[in-house]
Amino acid sequence: DQQVKQNSPSLSVQEGRISILNCDYTNSMFDYFLWYKKYPAEGPTFLISISSIKDKNEDGRFTVFLNKSAKHLSLHIVPSQPGDSAVYFCAASARSSGSARQLTFGSGTQLTVLP
Amino acid sequence: KAGVTQTPRYLIKTRGQQVTLSCSPISGHRSVSWYQQTPGQGLQFLFEYFSETQRNKGNFPGRFSGRQFSNSRSEMNVSTLELGDSALYLCASSFGTYSRDYGYTFGSGTRLTVV
């Protein structure tokens, strides 16, 4: 059972326009959400996060929105640049066994920004 | 501060062989998690080690095993390799505690090809 879902495997956007990447989750115990960006042959790098007590977090061109009632979050990139072309993973965090936190990842969305 | 180091970067093995991958976490981090990435499957959690103990385990067969040393370095072993084990194996480092961990730092991964 996939607890974090990214239903769009790919997205193409024109340079300068807005990119919107979506993510849905099912586990109500998740209290922290993150987006990672991954280039080929590299490990994912942290992009932006949001706590469940907020509904929006902004960092430069990147904004993450959280809708807890819908169990949905989205990442907005404005304006999109060709260098943003990468796979974006949504991840959710909750306390797991012991005193640990564990990340659960979605399957990723390949974003292509066209010049 | 040094990042997460994974060795080797690339590996080619034959079916039936076994392989050992290594991960050195960020200094001070006590948790090491391993993930498998295959095309279209996102990041599949293998296991997590904290203070030399396996704390969490994903849904992988017993051919996949790991360990962690007293200096927090971790190794992952795959025995009796199958073609389907070809993937990018990622190691992620974190403090390993609920209050301090909101995300992981990933290494660049080991690309394993089984022929």
Side-chain angles (χ1 to χ4, degrees):
Chain A
D1 175 35
Q2 248 189 317
Q3 297 185 61
V4 178
K5 294 180 187 178
Q6 293 178 257
N7 292 317
S8 299
S10 63
L11 174 69
S12 290
V13 169
Q14 210 67 38
E15 181 179 4
R17 306 290 278 261
I18 184 171
S19 294
I20 300 176
L21 296 98
N22 294 303
C23 179
D24 297 295
Y25 63 95
T26 57
N27 188 343
S28 56
M29 297 301 292
F30 290 143
D31 62 353
Y32 203 80
F33 303 88
L34 310 92
W35 285 93
Y36 282 82
K37 175 179 176 180
K38 186 181 182 302
Y39 294 114
E42 292 183 12
T45 55
F46 170 75
L47 194 57
I48 192 169
S49 63
I50 187 167
S51 164
S52 60
I53 63 173
K54 296 187 175 181
D55 54 19
K56 177 183 173 182
N57 188 26
E58 196 171 349
D59 183 3
R61 296 185 298 114
F62 303 92
T63 303
V64 56
F65 295 92
L66 175 62
N67 182 333
K68 279 184 296 183
S69 60
K71 292 192 173 68
H72 176 83
L73 66 154
S74 60
L75 174 68
H76 292 210
I77 306 173
V78 183
S80 301
Q81 300 173 353
D84 296 329
S85 297
V87 177
Y88 289 78
F89 289 100
C90 166
S93 173
R95 183 194 290 269
S96 63
S97 62
S99 60
R101 275 190 175 272
Q102 185 173 319
L103 286 185
T104 303
F105 285 86
S107 55
T109 296
Q110 170 70 56
L111 172 66
T112 303
V113 180
L114 305 167
Chain B
K1 152 165 137 170
V4 179
T5 304
Q6 287 189 250
T7 56
R9 284 298 310 271
Y10 301 94
L11 209 47
I12 300 176
K13 289 285 188 179
T14 305
R15 260 186 312 176
Q17 285 187 312
Q18 67 97 25
V19 67
T20 299
L21 313 181
S22 179
C23 173
S24 293
I26 289 172
S27 177
H29 283 188
R30 293 163 62 193
S31 168
V32 173
S33 298
W34 289 89
Y35 287 83
Q36 180 196 65
Q37 188 195 8
T38 51
Q41 292 296 314
L43 294 165
Q44 304 290 314
F45 173 71
L46 280 153
F47 29 65
E48 184 223 1
Y49 285 86
F50 179 80
S51 293
E52 302 178 66
T53 301
Q54 186 181 90
R55 189 161 63 173
N56 288 298
K57 190 177 191 308
N59 205 16
F60 277 80
R63 300 185 297 106
F64 291 82
S65 63
R67 59 177 175 167
Q68 187 180 33
F69 302 94
S70 58
N71 62 357
S72 293
R73 190 177 71 85
S74 177
E75 287 182 347
M76 189 193 103
N77 185 278
V78 188
S79 62
T80 320
L81 283 165
E82 300 176 0
L83 296 178
D85 297 333
S86 296
L88 180 67
Y89 289 88
L90 291 160
C91 160
S93 156
S94 68
F95 287 106
T97 60
Y98 178 76
S99 61
R100 295 190 72 181
D101 267 336
Y102 296 93
Y104 299 160
T105 300
F106 282 87
S108 297
T110 295
R111 169 70 64 186
L112 171 65
T113 302
V114 182
V115 297

